[in-house]
Amino acid sequence: MTTPQPGARTAGALFLLTHVTSVGALLLYGPGGVDPGRELAGRGAVLAGAVLETVLAVAVVGTALALHGLLRDRAPMASAAYVALRALEAAVILAGVLAVLAAVAVPGSDAAPGGGEDARAALTGLHAWAFVVGPGLVCPVNTVVLALVLHRERMVARWIPLVGLVGGPLIGVVNLAVLAGVTGPVALAALPIFAWEVSLAVHLLVRGVRTGVPSAALPPREVAVTG
């Protein structure tokens, strides 16, 4: 039986918020947000993008904490690992935010930062690499951890974790290839993990998670012997 729970609704809403803020930030940054070889957008747009990415980092941790309340009794170790991995992902995102802020603004003033174009390019590059490492490499790992628990415990529709188990490794392999210089970013590779998070978010909002005795704790069937 699945019933909506406050924790499930919170996690679902935060999953959707992570997508809204991440896409919004990329649009505001312009091409320089993912390609350090190109210019960032204007200062105001970059500052707005940084605010959205800060909200994104908070929402990333929020999803983990909300899900921890639902998973800790069934899979305490995996649930704790998921929280730690999401916190790591958020920390990498915030490191990228600080880099892009340093590239466009001096704190507390309208002045442009010093250091010249080389320093600006280096900071923009740091932001781009933070995107590859955080959402690109850490997120696939926590996706697999969560999908395995949901699949094993049958807490949501069975097809949803399967999408995560495909999408997580796929985007991880692609970003490892980007890290190694084998290829550039491949936007289509993100579609499965996008489908995983959106479908999971909608399921959590509408149906919640399946309650009852964890499947791992169910006793073996007794075989009746008749004579």
Side-chain angles (χ1 to χ4, degrees):
M1 176 182 179
T2 56
T3 56
Q5 303 100 2
R9 290 196 183 101
T10 300
L14 289 173
F15 264 122
L16 294 179
L17 181 61
T18 62
H19 286 284
V20 172
T21 51
S22 61
V23 172
L26 286 178
L27 293 175
L28 287 167
Y29 287 141
V34 292
D35 182 358
R38 303 179 69 175
E39 286 292 320
L40 286 166
R43 182 176 182 274
V46 172
L47 293 178
V51 171
L52 286 182
E53 277 204 308
T54 302
V55 175
L56 165 64
V58 174
V60 163
V61 176
T63 58
L65 294 176
L67 287 170
H68 178 65
L70 299 171
L71 302 177
R72 61 189 174 191
D73 292 336
R74 294 171 177 251
M77 292 295 292
S79 178
Y82 183 71
V83 172
L85 287 165
R86 288 296 263 180
L88 176 59
E89 181 186 349
V92 175
I93 291 170
L94 289 176
V97 171
L98 292 175
V100 79
L101 285 175
V104 299
V106 173
S109 76
D110 294 329
E117 289 302 316
D118 288 344
R120 179 184 172 95
L123 291 167
T124 304
L126 177 57
H127 175 265
W129 281 114
F131 182 83
V132 172
V133 173
L137 294 178
V138 180
C139 183
V141 179
N142 62 53
T143 293
V144 170
V145 170
L146 178 59
L148 284 173
V149 173
L150 295 178
H151 184 267
R152 185 190 69 186
E153 300 297 327
R154 302 183 180 183
M155 297 177 72
V156 297
R158 298 299 297 275
W159 64 270
I160 295 177
L162 295 179
V163 175
L165 291 172
V166 171
L170 174 62
I171 196 67
V173 168
V174 169
N175 280 290
L176 282 173
V178 172
L179 191 65
V182 175
T183 183
V186 181
L188 289 178
L191 288 179
I193 201 168
F194 174 80
W196 140 258
E197 291 195 348
V198 171
S199 59
L200 176 60
V202 172
H203 193 288
L204 291 172
L205 284 168
V206 176
R207 301 189 62 189
V209 295
R210 189 168 287 114
T211 58
V213 180
S215 61
L218 291 174
R221 293 183 179 177
E222 295 182 1
V223 179
V225 179
T226 59

